[in-house]
Amino acid sequence: MLSELQGQIERITYANEENGYTVAKIKVRGERDLVTVIGNLMAPMPGEILKMKGEWSRHPKYGEQFKVVYYDTAVPATVYGIRKYLGSGLIKGVGPVIAERIVKQFGKDTLDIIEENIENLARVEGIGKKRIDMIRRAWDEQKEIREVMLFLQSHGVSSAYATKIFKQYGDRAIAVVKENPYRLAMDIFGIGFVTADRIAEKLGFAKDSPLRAQAGILYVLNQMADEGHVYYPYEDLIEKCMDILNVIRDVVTDAFGEIEKEKKIRIEDLNDDTEEYQINNKAVYLTHFHVCESAIARRLKILIHVPVLWQEHDPDKALQWVQDRLTIRLAEKQTDAIRTALCSKVMVITGGPGTGKTTIINAILKILDASQSRVLLAAPTGRAAKRMSETTGHPAKTIHRLLKFSPAKGQFEMNYENPLDCDMLILDESSMIDTVLMYHLLKAVPNGARLILVGDVNQLPSVGAGNVLNDIISSAAVPVVSLNEIFRQAGESRIIVNAHRINRGIMPLCENDSPQTDFYFIQKEEPQAVLDIIVRLVRERIPRRFGFDPVDDIQVLSPMHKGIAGAGNLNTALQKVLNPGEGGIVRGQRTYKMNDKVMQIKNNYDKEIYNGDMGRIVRILPDVQEVHISFDKREVIYDYPDMDEVIPAYAVSVHKSQGSEYPAVVMPILIQHYMLLQRNLIYTGITRGKELVVLVGTKKALAIAVSNNKTAKRYTRLHHRLCL
């Protein structure tokens, strides 16, 4: 038999936005002490009145608790409750101060005034027409959102996504979810198939429902894309889908036929790649990946064969001239690279740190400037583009900004019909460019222009699907110059020497035997000890010894997200010591405060902020529920629900650090990271450090990583298409 309880939320002790689990303190009439309630509450707000059914229990540590099974909400009746309710941030435009003034003016009639005579709010100090309009919109929207929330509450949707669902579908939200809950997984960032499937089950969708099978296939293909695959083998995909969906094979194969008919997937026969015929030897693509990969191969072939637009240079004369101008003597591989750049339509320059890639780019730019050729420079990330500008003296842009994304049209403005205005395009950090981005880029390169891809093929491949640079190199479709000589000045850096040792499968030099060294290894066995020493290094030891700013100059990189020495826990520990103090906002298990260092984790074309961009929180405005973040001196506004696109960035994963360089890098390396201990991951991590790298952990874990050159296979057919 369930007990009943009614009370007003006094404060939220804990709220997990991933699953809606909440611990709240409730003021119950007749009770002197606040009552603890636990359960899945949708967007609970201080001041709300809850009518609950549930069970009483006693926690050994926290005492008596009421576990909520069902509940309903009601607006508060007391002046105190109304003030608490309005000041909770529920209504955009009303924070604690404004709430206090409104309630002082209207008392118990406050909510009636807002509902029926909102213009009367003008009598309150600080509320003008603009704020009244904002409060009106927020009040109306909140009522509708609350309806959606109450519907979703019984179907397992987390409170974090209720606003997003409403924003996506408006007043059609409930109808859309009832008709096809699997749309949530495809339409809304952060809602996955598992959540959508739980909703569908509660709405009565059968396990073998065709809609469920179709959504399941798309879910698995998207999961595989997140792991880097452009396609997935048919039989392996069938097995994965049967396992995840817990259905028989026929249900999955029937769904394949339906979504192929709807052109959501493309299936290609792989038997032409092999001598021996195999049944169901097929590649299954999400349609947009098939379009992108096919077009990359087609565009590269066109670029290779269409003659150049501008006059050819005599490479021998150009090489002599540029060496005289720059007063340098180029190494043999460097002259090969410049000669090839002047004689080829498309080429690749690849090499590790200190091998002279920047010198080559500068020499090419000098030659082309002299002939008044139009050259564009670009890189995948803002930091990489900025570094390219600094080292060449030429403006460089991110690929997204170069292609000019138009939020209004939902596409890049530069394309086949409106190509880039250039005779040559030089792309740095090309190993980071994934299949989709390369497709859009090649669409915008003029047929007569030259293209130079510069990158380090030994780094981790792109975060997005594909292995574009590797596939282009291995296909031998374009000339490739590989640089492996470390130049004298670079050879004095132990970071660079060790990067090349790791790349050859040799243990790095780890002796902390010189006060001048830029590479240190600190031996620690236990994860907690590693965490403690990293916090001390960042907060005290490195700033004191080297003068680096602990937030702006030092970046902690971790092979993993989870665990004691994972990026998540490191962020929590570093935030406590580098940005202490009260305040801020809580979103799920993350707290965001003024001056926090953060990273964007999703391309947001409307805001012109992209995956991997780093910023600092400069303003938090509870009244309007906004967070202002400065990215490279540009202030970008986030509504509270959009903050799930941003993570604290005192520590980030090595993958997320690609394309960036930091004055100092600190990285844990432990046996607990076993699954991710790979040579290219350690190599990528230490090459992010410009002036200092400190590894903390065990030499055994480091040895495992250095000897493990088995990178995970990515299913792509770009190599094959380029070889046709």
Side-chain angles (χ1 to χ4, degrees), residues 1-3 38 53-57 65-69:
M1 182 77 175
L2 296 177
S3 302
I38 59 172
K53 288 186 178 180
E55 300 167 339
W56 290 98
S57 64
Q65 298 177 333
F66 188 79
K67 186 176 181 181
V68 180
V69 178

Side-chain angles (χ1 to χ4, degrees), residues 225-228 431-432 434 461-465 611 655-656 658 714:
D226 288 344
E227 291 178 18
S431 62
M432 290 183 64
D434 62 33
S462 57
V463 175
N611 192 354
H655 280 85
K656 287 289 185 191
Q658 283 178 269
R714 291 189 167 197

Side-chain angles (χ1 to χ4, degrees), residues 679-692:
R679 186 184 300 173
N680 61 354
L681 183 135
I682 301 300
Y683 174 79
T684 300
I686 70 168
T687 54
R688 301 307 90 203
K690 284 195 295 185
E691 300 172 51
L692 178 69

Side-chain angles (χ1 to χ4, degrees), residues 577-619:
V577 298
L578 298 179
N579 194 17
E582 301 301 316
I585 63 165
V586 178
R587 301 292 297 171
Q589 293 176 300
R590 297 186 187 123
T591 300
Y592 299 91
K593 301 181 194 173
M594 278 286 294
N595 300 315
D596 264 345
K597 178 179 177 181
V598 295
M599 176 185 275
Q600 177 78 11
I601 57 168
K602 172 183 182 283
N603 288 340
N604 189 318
Y605 296 107
D606 292 334
K607 290 178 171 38
E608 288 189 53
I609 295 296
Y610 304 104
N611 192 354
D613 285 353
M614 293 271 237
R616 293 285 286 270
I617 294 177
V618 293
R619 265 187 264 275

Side-chain angles (χ1 to χ4, degrees), residues 308-315 318-319 321-322 325-326 337-345 347 360-377 394 422-426 448-452:
V308 291
L309 293 171
W310 42 278
Q311 186 180 353
E312 300 277 355
H313 291 84
D314 181 322
L319 278 163
W321 176 85
V322 80
R325 279 300 180 95
L326 296 174
I338 296 166
R339 193 186 304 277
T340 306
L342 297 175
C343 298
S344 306
K345 282 295 300 305
M347 75 164 298
I360 292 167
I361 294 172
N362 282 331
I364 293 168
L365 288 171
K366 199 83 174 168
I367 293 167
L368 297 184
D369 281 350
S371 62
Q372 297 186 319
S373 300
R374 300 161 301 164
V375 185
L376 292 174
L377 308 184
H394 276 247
C422 67
D423 300 310
M424 178 180 280
L425 174 61
I426 303 176
R450 297 182 191 271
L451 175 65
I452 300 178

Side-chain angles (χ1 to χ4, degrees), residues 281-444:
N281 186 24
K282 302 171 189 173
V284 185
Y285 287 82
L286 289 166
T287 297
H288 68 282
F289 284 126
H290 187 270
V291 168
C292 292
E293 189 181 78
S294 304
I296 290 171
R298 191 166 57 249
R299 285 295 299 149
L300 281 173
K301 289 176 183 179
I302 290 169
L303 288 173
I304 291 164
H305 293 108
V306 173
V308 291
L309 293 171
W310 42 278
Q311 186 180 353
E312 300 277 355
H313 291 84
D314 181 322
D316 293 325
K317 286 182 181 176
L319 278 163
Q320 188 58 55
W321 176 85
V322 80
Q323 289 180 93
D324 292 343
R325 279 300 180 95
L326 296 174
T327 62
I328 56 171
R329 298 260 57 87
L330 295 165
E332 185 181 347
K333 282 286 182 75
Q334 290 179 312
T335 60
D336 286 349
I338 296 166
R339 193 186 304 277
T340 306
L342 297 175
C343 298
S344 306
K345 282 295 300 305
V346 182
M347 75 164 298
V348 173
I349 300 170
T350 184
T355 56
K357 296 191 295 291
T358 300
T359 301
I360 292 167
I361 294 172
N362 282 331
I364 293 168
L365 288 171
K366 199 83 174 168
I367 293 167
L368 297 184
D369 281 350
S371 62
Q372 297 186 319
S373 300
R374 300 161 301 164
V375 185
L376 292 174
L377 308 184
T381 66
R383 280 177 175 251
K386 186 178 180 184
R387 190 172 68 250
M388 201 180 187
S389 296
E390 290 167 353
T391 56
T392 64
H394 276 247
K397 294 182 178 179
T398 63
I399 295 171
H400 290 95
R401 291 201 170 95
L402 185 75
L403 299 180
K404 296 180 182 174
F405 187 83
S406 166
K409 297 176 185 172
Q411 61 187 31
F412 291 107
E413 291 183 1
M414 312 309 289
N415 49 39
Y416 297 125
E417 293 78 30
N418 185 30
L420 296 164
D421 183 21
C422 67
D423 300 310
M424 178 180 280
L425 174 61
I426 303 176
L427 291 174
D428 201 8
E429 295 285 359
S430 295
S431 62
M432 290 183 64
I433 303 176
D434 62 33
T435 301
V436 175
L437 190 55
M438 183 59 89
Y439 160 69
H440 287 294
L441 181 70
L442 291 180
K443 279 169 65 176

